[in-house]
Amino acid sequence: MKNKKILIALAALTAISATSCSKLEIPPVTEDPDNIENNEPVELLDISSEYSLEVSSEMIKAGENLEVYILSESDRKIFVAWESTDHKVLSCVDGVFTGVGKGFATVSAKISAEGCEEFELTYTVEVKPEDYTLALIDNFILITDLSTKVPEEGELLAQILSGGRQLISASAQEGYTMKKRTSSFEEQPFEILVGETSRKESIGAGSDLEKNEFSIKAVNTENGMKILINATDKYAMMTAFEVLIDNTIKTEEGTYVPSDLDIKMKPLISKEDYSGMFESENVWVVRDPCVIYDGEKYYMYGTGLASGLGYGCVTSDDLKTWSEPFNVYTFPEEIGAQGDCWAPECHYYKGNYYIFATYRGSNGLRGCAIFKSETPAGPFEMITDGHITSSEWNAIDASLYVDENGDPWIIYVREWVSAPNEIGTFEVARLSEDLTKIISEPIEIFKANSSAWATKGVTDGCWAYKMQSTGSLIMLWSNWDGGGYCIGMARSKSGSILGPWEQISTRLYSSLYSEGYDGGHGSIFTDKNGQMMVSFHGPNDATDTVREHAFFLPIEEDPEGDMLRPKQ
């Protein structure tokens, strides 16, 4: 029998009816004169089995409210007194429960009713810190798991706090204290000191920094480990936090900062590195641009170039001035395409051209399909049986990768709208040699929130590139950082598409670096002079005066950083 839910009372002592969620009623107190005169004992009913307690979650964060329900089929009016066993963990004010600090606390509902025995219902919940917070004390940043609030005064301080929160979020996603690395793995909090302070261990730190340079140094003192961070500007400070994240050591026991950490460097990418970037000059409504050069001209495919349901293309001799758009594929009626014809990527494979693209099918879900043509101008034909990705959830932005053995793989995004906790994921699977079907179980390689700089569960735009200099496999992918839409990078040092994958803190393109438009969904191609390029669209959100359009950035391998970077 399905129980009925009664929302928490808004007073510590409240009379409620267990039959509906209507306005709570408090019945008048009455006495039975017969019982008083006769002084006869009254047999009280045991109704405890008729009621149960339910909470909205067994774990909440500090600052969040906990919803509590009393479940019953009874019509009896009852009185409820709410209480928490530990107000330092879970407060109870007028029947409203709020997470306060890390630990466990028990919700108590003492229930009484006229003519019934009083009884108690309990439920134990866990409260975790509000992620982690940063307390500004005497010019240094102290990482704690307390609910300290910090007034974000000034642009630099705001950047420090933002970077620090990213550090904590990435290093301790479960909400537990970061640890100093010791032989016994003893839990010890540590401090991050930012800038020069009056403390003896940090005096003079950073005084010898050059322009755009930053330093990170671990100092062991009698009071524990200090992490000294100095930088000459807010951009270098932000990069310092990202480099610190890259240098933490993650184990099953926790996340540690090496006791000998000592780094002084400049950000790997700066505004000047984008001097070779240029824009398309006459194609203004294109997203997700993918370019291929066939030896004679450039073909650019992208979202927004087709008329009707299908995929479109433009051509150019110089990557600047482009032809009028034309369709390379139009969906026939029998396919049942409903729209969302997104992100057509064109790849040359074994003598033919293949488009990997997204569309929304007759089931209302987005998925990926593959199309084939003998020429880059089409016409293309669908070679998969509709969506090649799952028919049970949304998938977008498929891409092709051919490994060192010549085996083809599909890479795609399980879209956030269908993913657990609304966090998009990247998956890979083996393709048949003719690219018509998937021949292996898909494997998740990383999530949209795998990198500390990523601010959203939304992700897209994957492209795999094998480093000739190091043998690592680099994956371009997009999310949002503090500057907006951007192009990040992940690395598989094994060179295998299956990883293991690690995130690179430096983005290939970010408006934080370029100080221009934001932009993302990168695709790699080689121009007619043999220069490696990445195409992407920006700004991500069109305005009345600036529409989405294609950008082209010369890039190169950086063997020392084991990543891609703008060509210097």
Side-chain angles (χ1 to χ4, degrees), residues 325-355:
F326 60 93
N327 279 23
V328 294
Y329 179 81
T330 301
F331 280 98
E333 186 174 342
E334 58 267 23
I335 295 293
Q338 301 296 308
D340 298 343
C341 303
W342 296 346
E345 278 189 11
C346 189
H347 298 265
Y348 183 73
Y349 171 74
K350 292 192 173 182
N352 291 289
Y353 295 86
Y354 294 85
I355 284 179

PDB file of all heavy atoms in Angstrom, residues 325-355:
ATOM      1  N   PRO A 325      26.773  28.499 -49.149  1.00  0.00           N
ATOM      2  CA  PRO A 325      26.567  27.145 -48.623  1.00  0.00           C
ATOM      3  C   PRO A 325      25.786  26.263 -49.599  1.00  0.00           C
ATOM      4  O   PRO A 325      24.936  26.744 -50.345  1.00  0.00           O
ATOM      5  CB  PRO A 325      25.759  27.375 -47.340  1.00  0.00           C
ATOM      6  CG  PRO A 325      25.957  28.819 -47.001  1.00  0.00           C
ATOM      7  CD  PRO A 325      26.142  29.522 -48.311  1.00  0.00           C
ATOM      8  N   PHE A 326      26.074  24.980 -49.587  1.00  0.00           N
ATOM      9  CA  PHE A 326      25.307  23.996 -50.349  1.00  0.00           C
ATOM     10  C   PHE A 326      25.184  22.727 -49.518  1.00  0.00           C
ATOM     11  O   PHE A 326      26.029  22.434 -48.669  1.00  0.00           O
ATOM     12  CB  PHE A 326      25.962  23.705 -51.701  1.00  0.00           C
ATOM     13  CG  PHE A 326      27.365  23.161 -51.613  1.00  0.00           C
ATOM     14  CD1 PHE A 326      27.629  21.794 -51.592  1.00  0.00           C
ATOM     15  CD2 PHE A 326      28.458  24.037 -51.573  1.00  0.00           C
ATOM     16  CE1 PHE A 326      28.920  21.301 -51.512  1.00  0.00           C
ATOM     17  CE2 PHE A 326      29.764  23.550 -51.493  1.00  0.00           C
ATOM     18  CZ  PHE A 326      29.985  22.171 -51.471  1.00  0.00           C
ATOM     19  N   ASN A 327      24.117  21.974 -49.756  1.00  0.00           N
ATOM     20  CA  ASN A 327      23.886  20.748 -49.000  1.00  0.00           C
ATOM     21  C   ASN A 327      24.740  19.603 -49.535  1.00  0.00           C
ATOM     22  O   ASN A 327      24.852  19.422 -50.751  1.00  0.00           O
ATOM     23  CB  ASN A 327      22.412  20.343 -49.053  1.00  0.00           C
ATOM     24  CG  ASN A 327      21.563  21.106 -48.058  1.00  0.00           C
ATOM     25  OD1 ASN A 327      21.938  22.197 -47.627  1.00  0.00           O
ATOM     26  ND2 ASN A 327      20.414  20.550 -47.697  1.00  0.00           N
ATOM     27  N   VAL A 328      25.311  18.835 -48.623  1.00  0.00           N
ATOM     28  CA  VAL A 328      26.023  17.615 -49.012  1.00  0.00           C
ATOM     29  C   VAL A 328      25.201  16.382 -48.652  1.00  0.00           C
ATOM     30  O   VAL A 328      25.492  15.278 -49.116  1.00  0.00           O
ATOM     31  CB  VAL A 328      27.416  17.540 -48.360  1.00  0.00           C
ATOM     32  CG1 VAL A 328      28.322  18.653 -48.888  1.00  0.00           C
ATOM     33  CG2 VAL A 328      27.320  17.598 -46.845  1.00  0.00           C
ATOM     34  N   TYR A 329      24.190  16.587 -47.789  1.00  0.00           N
ATOM     35  CA  TYR A 329      23.256  15.500 -47.465  1.00  0.00           C
ATOM     36  C   TYR A 329      21.950  16.106 -46.997  1.00  0.00           C
ATOM     37  O   TYR A 329      21.934  17.054 -46.197  1.00  0.00           O
ATOM     38  CB  TYR A 329      23.807  14.590 -46.363  1.00  0.00           C
ATOM     39  CG  TYR A 329      22.851  13.475 -45.983  1.00  0.00           C
ATOM     40  CD1 TYR A 329      22.776  12.321 -46.754  1.00  0.00           C
ATOM     41  CD2 TYR A 329      21.996  13.598 -44.881  1.00  0.00           C
ATOM     42  CE1 TYR A 329      21.880  11.301 -46.431  1.00  0.00           C
ATOM     43  CE2 TYR A 329      21.110  12.591 -44.557  1.00  0.00           C
ATOM     44  CZ  TYR A 329      21.049  11.444 -45.333  1.00  0.00           C
ATOM     45  OH  TYR A 329      20.158  10.448 -45.027  1.00  0.00           O
ATOM     46  N   THR A 330      20.841  15.584 -47.519  1.00  0.00           N
ATOM     47  CA  THR A 330      19.503  15.977 -47.086  1.00  0.00           C
ATOM     48  C   THR A 330      18.750  14.727 -46.649  1.00  0.00           C
ATOM     49  O   THR A 330      18.720  13.728 -47.380  1.00  0.00           O
ATOM     50  CB  THR A 330      18.732  16.682 -48.219  1.00  0.00           C
ATOM     51  OG1 THR A 330      19.464  17.845 -48.630  1.00  0.00           O
ATOM     52  CG2 THR A 330      17.340  17.089 -47.750  1.00  0.00           C
ATOM     53  N   PHE A 331      18.163  14.768 -45.474  1.00  0.00           N
ATOM     54  CA  PHE A 331      17.467  13.598 -44.944  1.00  0.00           C
ATOM     55  C   PHE A 331      16.216  13.278 -45.768  1.00  0.00           C
ATOM     56  O   PHE A 331      15.364  14.153 -45.955  1.00  0.00           O
ATOM     57  CB  PHE A 331      17.047  13.824 -43.490  1.00  0.00           C
ATOM     58  CG  PHE A 331      18.156  13.630 -42.504  1.00  0.00           C
ATOM     59  CD1 PHE A 331      18.870  14.716 -42.011  1.00  0.00           C
ATOM     60  CD2 PHE A 331      18.494  12.360 -42.064  1.00  0.00           C
ATOM     61  CE1 PHE A 331      19.889  14.540 -41.100  1.00  0.00           C
ATOM     62  CE2 PHE A 331      19.516  12.164 -41.145  1.00  0.00           C
ATOM     63  CZ  PHE A 331      20.222  13.250 -40.668  1.00  0.00           C
ATOM     64  N   PRO A 332      16.109  12.051 -46.261  1.00  0.00           N
ATOM     65  CA  PRO A 332      14.847  11.646 -46.898  1.00  0.00           C
ATOM     66  C   PRO A 332      13.767  11.461 -45.834  1.00  0.00           C
ATOM     67  O   PRO A 332      14.055  11.226 -44.662  1.00  0.00           O
ATOM     68  CB  PRO A 332      15.202  10.324 -47.578  1.00  0.00           C
ATOM     69  CG  PRO A 332      16.341   9.781 -46.791  1.00  0.00           C
ATOM     70  CD  PRO A 332      17.107  10.974 -46.297  1.00  0.00           C
ATOM     71  N   GLU A 333      12.532  11.525 -46.240  1.00  0.00           N
ATOM     72  CA  GLU A 333      11.416  11.471 -45.296  1.00  0.00           C
ATOM     73  C   GLU A 333      11.395  10.167 -44.510  1.00  0.00           C
ATOM     74  O   GLU A 333      11.048  10.140 -43.331  1.00  0.00           O
ATOM     75  CB  GLU A 333      10.101  11.652 -46.055  1.00  0.00           C
ATOM     76  CG  GLU A 333       8.889  11.761 -45.151  1.00  0.00           C
ATOM     77  CD  GLU A 333       7.640  12.078 -45.933  1.00  0.00           C
ATOM     78  OE1 GLU A 333       7.748  12.536 -47.093  1.00  0.00           O
ATOM     79  OE2 GLU A 333       6.537  11.860 -45.392  1.00  0.00           O
ATOM     80  N   GLU A 334      11.814   9.065 -45.145  1.00  0.00           N
ATOM     81  CA  GLU A 334      11.705   7.768 -44.477  1.00  0.00           C
ATOM     82  C   GLU A 334      12.676   7.616 -43.297  1.00  0.00           C
ATOM     83  O   GLU A 334      12.495   6.743 -42.447  1.00  0.00           O
ATOM     84  CB  GLU A 334      11.947   6.622 -45.461  1.00  0.00           C
ATOM     85  CG  GLU A 334      13.292   6.646 -46.167  1.00  0.00           C
ATOM     86  CD  GLU A 334      13.224   7.383 -47.514  1.00  0.00           C
ATOM     87  OE1 GLU A 334      12.296   8.207 -47.676  1.00  0.00           O
ATOM     88  OE2 GLU A 334      14.084   7.120 -48.365  1.00  0.00           O
ATOM     89  N   ILE A 335      13.701   8.445 -43.210  1.00  0.00           N
ATOM     90  CA  ILE A 335      14.629   8.368 -42.082  1.00  0.00           C
ATOM     91  C   ILE A 335      13.943   8.827 -40.801  1.00  0.00           C
ATOM     92  O   ILE A 335      14.233   8.353 -39.703  1.00  0.00           O
ATOM     93  CB  ILE A 335      15.889   9.209 -42.348  1.00  0.00           C
ATOM     94  CG1 ILE A 335      16.670   8.632 -43.522  1.00  0.00           C
ATOM     95  CG2 ILE A 335      16.785   9.277 -41.114  1.00  0.00           C
ATOM     96  CD1 ILE A 335      17.288   7.286 -43.280  1.00  0.00           C
ATOM     97  N   GLY A 336      13.011   9.758 -40.931  1.00  0.00           N
ATOM     98  CA  GLY A 336      12.288  10.257 -39.762  1.00  0.00           C
ATOM     99  C   GLY A 336      13.070  11.243 -38.926  1.00  0.00           C
ATOM    100  O   GLY A 336      12.799  11.384 -37.721  1.00  0.00           O
ATOM    101  N   ALA A 337      14.023  11.956 -39.525  1.00  0.00           N
ATOM    102  CA  ALA A 337      14.791  12.957 -38.779  1.00  0.00           C
ATOM    103  C   ALA A 337      13.876  14.100 -38.343  1.00  0.00           C
ATOM    104  O   ALA A 337      13.045  14.579 -39.114  1.00  0.00           O
ATOM    105  CB  ALA A 337      15.931  13.496 -39.638  1.00  0.00           C
ATOM    106  N   GLN A 338      14.064  14.525 -37.079  1.00  0.00           N
ATOM    107  CA  GLN A 338      13.213  15.581 -36.526  1.00  0.00           C
ATOM    108  C   GLN A 338      13.941  16.915 -36.358  1.00  0.00           C
ATOM    109  O   GLN A 338      13.327  17.902 -35.985  1.00  0.00           O
ATOM    110  CB  GLN A 338      12.673  15.126 -35.169  1.00  0.00           C
ATOM    111  CG  GLN A 338      11.865  13.843 -35.214  1.00  0.00           C
ATOM    112  CD  GLN A 338      10.610  13.997 -36.039  1.00  0.00           C
ATOM    113  OE1 GLN A 338       9.832  14.916 -35.828  1.00  0.00           O
ATOM    114  NE2 GLN A 338      10.432  13.105 -36.999  1.00  0.00           N
ATOM    115  N   GLY A 339      15.233  16.936 -36.619  1.00  0.00           N
ATOM    116  CA  GLY A 339      15.983  18.183 -36.462  1.00  0.00           C
ATOM    117  C   GLY A 339      17.307  17.965 -35.758  1.00  0.00           C
ATOM    118  O   GLY A 339      17.827  16.848 -35.698  1.00  0.00           O
ATOM    119  N   ASP A 340      17.875  19.071 -35.195  1.00  0.00           N
ATOM    120  CA  ASP A 340      19.161  19.041 -34.480  1.00  0.00           C
ATOM    121  C   ASP A 340      20.250  18.395 -35.331  1.00  0.00           C
ATOM    122  O   ASP A 340      20.996  17.513 -34.873  1.00  0.00           O
ATOM    123  CB  ASP A 340      19.029  18.290 -33.156  1.00  0.00           C
ATOM    124  CG  ASP A 340      18.040  18.948 -32.204  1.00  0.00           C
ATOM    125  OD1 ASP A 340      17.717  20.123 -32.433  1.00  0.00           O
ATOM    126  OD2 ASP A 340      17.587  18.283 -31.265  1.00  0.00           O
ATOM    127  N   CYS A 341      20.355  18.846 -36.571  1.00  0.00           N
ATOM    128  CA  CYS A 341      21.403  18.338 -37.474  1.00  0.00           C
ATOM    129  C   CYS A 341      22.692  19.079 -37.154  1.00  0.00           C
ATOM    130  O   CYS A 341      22.989  20.123 -37.730  1.00  0.00           O
ATOM    131  CB  CYS A 341      20.985  18.521 -38.930  1.00  0.00           C
ATOM    132  SG  CYS A 341      19.416  17.733 -39.348  1.00  0.00           S
ATOM    133  N   TRP A 342      23.455  18.512 -36.244  1.00  0.00           N
ATOM    134  CA  TRP A 342      24.578  19.221 -35.641  1.00  0.00           C
ATOM    135  C   TRP A 342      25.921  18.588 -36.008  1.00  0.00           C
ATOM    136  O   TRP A 342      26.044  17.402 -36.269  1.00  0.00           O
ATOM    137  CB  TRP A 342      24.472  19.191 -34.109  1.00  0.00           C
ATOM    138  CG  TRP A 342      23.294  19.897 -33.529  1.00  0.00           C
ATOM    139  CD1 TRP A 342      22.449  20.781 -34.154  1.00  0.00           C
ATOM    140  CD2 TRP A 342      22.813  19.793 -32.185  1.00  0.00           C
ATOM    141  NE1 TRP A 342      21.494  21.232 -33.287  1.00  0.00           N
ATOM    142  CE2 TRP A 342      21.691  20.639 -32.075  1.00  0.00           C
ATOM    143  CE3 TRP A 342      23.241  19.064 -31.069  1.00  0.00           C
ATOM    144  CZ2 TRP A 342      20.976  20.772 -30.872  1.00  0.00           C
ATOM    145  CZ3 TRP A 342      22.530  19.204 -29.874  1.00  0.00           C
ATOM    146  CH2 TRP A 342      21.415  20.051 -29.779  1.00  0.00           C
ATOM    147  N   ALA A 343      26.941  19.440 -35.966  1.00  0.00           N
ATOM    148  CA  ALA A 343      28.359  19.064 -35.911  1.00  0.00           C
ATOM    149  C   ALA A 343      28.794  18.005 -36.923  1.00  0.00           C
ATOM    150  O   ALA A 343      29.335  16.965 -36.545  1.00  0.00           O
ATOM    151  CB  ALA A 343      28.711  18.593 -34.496  1.00  0.00           C
ATOM    152  N   PRO A 344      28.597  18.240 -38.237  1.00  0.00           N
ATOM    153  CA  PRO A 344      29.119  17.285 -39.216  1.00  0.00           C
ATOM    154  C   PRO A 344      30.647  17.375 -39.303  1.00  0.00           C
ATOM    155  O   PRO A 344      31.198  18.432 -39.606  1.00  0.00           O
ATOM    156  CB  PRO A 344      28.462  17.731 -40.522  1.00  0.00           C
ATOM    157  CG  PRO A 344      28.181  19.190 -40.336  1.00  0.00           C
ATOM    158  CD  PRO A 344      27.874  19.364 -38.881  1.00  0.00           C
ATOM    159  N   GLU A 345      31.322  16.280 -39.004  1.00  0.00           N
ATOM    160  CA  GLU A 345      32.776  16.196 -39.147  1.00  0.00           C
ATOM    161  C   GLU A 345      33.093  15.340 -40.355  1.00  0.00           C
ATOM    162  O   GLU A 345      32.564  14.231 -40.483  1.00  0.00           O
ATOM    163  CB  GLU A 345      33.408  15.529 -37.921  1.00  0.00           C
ATOM    164  CG  GLU A 345      33.637  16.432 -36.748  1.00  0.00           C
ATOM    165  CD  GLU A 345      34.468  15.751 -35.675  1.00  0.00           C
ATOM    166  OE1 GLU A 345      35.028  14.661 -35.924  1.00  0.00           O
ATOM    167  OE2 GLU A 345      34.565  16.318 -34.582  1.00  0.00           O
ATOM    168  N   CYS A 346      33.986  15.795 -41.225  1.00  0.00           N
ATOM    169  CA  CYS A 346      34.360  15.026 -42.405  1.00  0.00           C
ATOM    170  C   CYS A 346      35.765  14.453 -42.233  1.00  0.00           C
ATOM    171  O   CYS A 346      36.703  15.169 -41.873  1.00  0.00           O
ATOM    172  CB  CYS A 346      34.299  15.890 -43.658  1.00  0.00           C
ATOM    173  SG  CYS A 346      34.491  14.938 -45.187  1.00  0.00           S
ATOM    174  N   HIS A 347      35.900  13.143 -42.480  1.00  0.00           N
ATOM    175  CA  HIS A 347      37.184  12.440 -42.351  1.00  0.00           C
ATOM    176  C   HIS A 347      37.454  11.653 -43.629  1.00  0.00           C
ATOM    177  O   HIS A 347      36.549  11.046 -44.209  1.00  0.00           O
ATOM    178  CB  HIS A 347      37.154  11.464 -41.171  1.00  0.00           C
ATOM    179  CG  HIS A 347      36.935  12.123 -39.844  1.00  0.00           C
ATOM    180  ND1 HIS A 347      37.974  12.470 -39.015  1.00  0.00           N
ATOM    181  CD2 HIS A 347      35.788  12.499 -39.207  1.00  0.00           C
ATOM    182  CE1 HIS A 347      37.483  13.027 -37.909  1.00  0.00           C
ATOM    183  NE2 HIS A 347      36.157  13.053 -38.007  1.00  0.00           N
ATOM    184  N   TYR A 348      38.728  11.653 -44.056  1.00  0.00           N
ATOM    185  CA  TYR A 348      39.153  10.846 -45.202  1.00  0.00           C
ATOM    186  C   TYR A 348      39.658   9.510 -44.660  1.00  0.00           C
ATOM    187  O   TYR A 348      40.530   9.459 -43.797  1.00  0.00           O
ATOM    188  CB  TYR A 348      40.255  11.559 -45.971  1.00  0.00           C
ATOM    189  CG  TYR A 348      40.691  10.827 -47.213  1.00  0.00           C
ATOM    190  CD1 TYR A 348      39.883  10.790 -48.347  1.00  0.00           C
ATOM    191  CD2 TYR A 348      41.929  10.175 -47.253  1.00  0.00           C
ATOM    192  CE1 TYR A 348      40.288  10.120 -49.491  1.00  0.00           C
ATOM    193  CE2 TYR A 348      42.345   9.509 -48.392  1.00  0.00           C
ATOM    194  CZ  TYR A 348      41.516   9.478 -49.507  1.00  0.00           C
ATOM    195  OH  TYR A 348      41.910   8.809 -50.644  1.00  0.00           O
ATOM    196  N   TYR A 349      39.079   8.418 -45.179  1.00  0.00           N
ATOM    197  CA  TYR A 349      39.419   7.097 -44.655  1.00  0.00           C
ATOM    198  C   TYR A 349      39.335   6.077 -45.782  1.00  0.00           C
ATOM    199  O   TYR A 349      38.292   5.898 -46.416  1.00  0.00           O
ATOM    200  CB  TYR A 349      38.445   6.730 -43.525  1.00  0.00           C
ATOM    201  CG  TYR A 349      38.532   5.314 -43.016  1.00  0.00           C
ATOM    202  CD1 TYR A 349      39.589   4.901 -42.208  1.00  0.00           C
ATOM    203  CD2 TYR A 349      37.543   4.378 -43.334  1.00  0.00           C
ATOM    204  CE1 TYR A 349      39.655   3.595 -41.730  1.00  0.00           C
ATOM    205  CE2 TYR A 349      37.600   3.071 -42.855  1.00  0.00           C
ATOM    206  CZ  TYR A 349      38.664   2.686 -42.057  1.00  0.00           C
ATOM    207  OH  TYR A 349      38.734   1.395 -41.589  1.00  0.00           O
ATOM    208  N   LYS A 350      40.462   5.442 -46.083  1.00  0.00           N
ATOM    209  CA  LYS A 350      40.543   4.361 -47.065  1.00  0.00           C
ATOM    210  C   LYS A 350      39.886   4.723 -48.400  1.00  0.00           C
ATOM    211  O   LYS A 350      39.082   3.974 -48.957  1.00  0.00           O
ATOM    212  CB  LYS A 350      39.921   3.087 -46.495  1.00  0.00           C
ATOM    213  CG  LYS A 350      40.734   2.493 -45.351  1.00  0.00           C
ATOM    214  CD  LYS A 350      40.285   1.092 -44.976  1.00  0.00           C
ATOM    215  CE  LYS A 350      41.228   0.488 -43.947  1.00  0.00           C
ATOM    216  NZ  LYS A 350      40.872  -0.895 -43.566  1.00  0.00           N
ATOM    217  N   GLY A 351      40.242   5.919 -48.902  1.00  0.00           N
ATOM    218  CA  GLY A 351      39.837   6.297 -50.253  1.00  0.00           C
ATOM    219  C   GLY A 351      38.487   6.978 -50.369  1.00  0.00           C
ATOM    220  O   GLY A 351      38.096   7.371 -51.476  1.00  0.00           O
ATOM    221  N   ASN A 352      37.767   7.134 -49.276  1.00  0.00           N
ATOM    222  CA  ASN A 352      36.467   7.794 -49.308  1.00  0.00           C
ATOM    223  C   ASN A 352      36.366   8.827 -48.199  1.00  0.00           C
ATOM    224  O   ASN A 352      37.211   8.888 -47.298  1.00  0.00           O
ATOM    225  CB  ASN A 352      35.330   6.769 -49.174  1.00  0.00           C
ATOM    226  CG  ASN A 352      35.196   5.885 -50.391  1.00  0.00           C
ATOM    227  OD1 ASN A 352      34.772   6.313 -51.460  1.00  0.00           O
ATOM    228  ND2 ASN A 352      35.585   4.610 -50.228  1.00  0.00           N
ATOM    229  N   TYR A 353      35.322   9.644 -48.289  1.00  0.00           N
ATOM    230  CA  TYR A 353      35.073  10.676 -47.294  1.00  0.00           C
ATOM    231  C   TYR A 353      33.873  10.262 -46.441  1.00  0.00           C
ATOM    232  O   TYR A 353      32.861   9.779 -46.965  1.00  0.00           O
ATOM    233  CB  TYR A 353      34.823  12.028 -47.969  1.00  0.00           C
ATOM    234  CG  TYR A 353      36.035  12.539 -48.708  1.00  0.00           C
ATOM    235  CD1 TYR A 353      36.298  12.154 -50.027  1.00  0.00           C
ATOM    236  CD2 TYR A 353      36.950  13.388 -48.081  1.00  0.00           C
ATOM    237  CE1 TYR A 353      37.425  12.605 -50.700  1.00  0.00           C
ATOM    238  CE2 TYR A 353      38.077  13.848 -48.744  1.00  0.00           C
ATOM    239  CZ  TYR A 353      38.316  13.449 -50.052  1.00  0.00           C
ATOM    240  OH  TYR A 353      39.431  13.895 -50.712  1.00  0.00           O
ATOM    241  N   TYR A 354      33.997  10.474 -45.131  1.00  0.00           N
ATOM    242  CA  TYR A 354      32.949  10.054 -44.207  1.00  0.00           C
ATOM    243  C   TYR A 354      32.571  11.222 -43.295  1.00  0.00           C
ATOM    244  O   TYR A 354      33.454  11.884 -42.723  1.00  0.00           O
ATOM    245  CB  TYR A 354      33.412   8.874 -43.358  1.00  0.00           C
ATOM    246  CG  TYR A 354      33.649   7.617 -44.143  1.00  0.00           C
ATOM    247  CD1 TYR A 354      34.867   7.391 -44.781  1.00  0.00           C
ATOM    248  CD2 TYR A 354      32.649   6.650 -44.265  1.00  0.00           C
ATOM    249  CE1 TYR A 354      35.098   6.240 -45.516  1.00  0.00           C
ATOM    250  CE2 TYR A 354      32.867   5.491 -44.996  1.00  0.00           C
ATOM    251  CZ  TYR A 354      34.089   5.289 -45.624  1.00  0.00           C
ATOM    252  OH  TYR A 354      34.304   4.148 -46.362  1.00  0.00           O
ATOM    253  N   ILE A 355      31.284  11.475 -43.184  1.00  0.00           N
ATOM    254  CA  ILE A 355      30.786  12.472 -42.248  1.00  0.00           C
ATOM    255  C   ILE A 355      30.237  11.760 -41.011  1.00  0.00           C
ATOM    256  O   ILE A 355      29.429  10.838 -41.121  1.00  0.00           O
ATOM    257  CB  ILE A 355      29.693  13.358 -42.880  1.00  0.00           C
ATOM    258  CG1 ILE A 355      30.334  14.374 -43.833  1.00  0.00           C
ATOM    259  CG2 ILE A 355      28.877  14.081 -41.815  1.00  0.00           C
ATOM    260  CD1 ILE A 355      29.334  15.278 -44.531  1.00  0.00           C
TER     261      ILE A 355
END
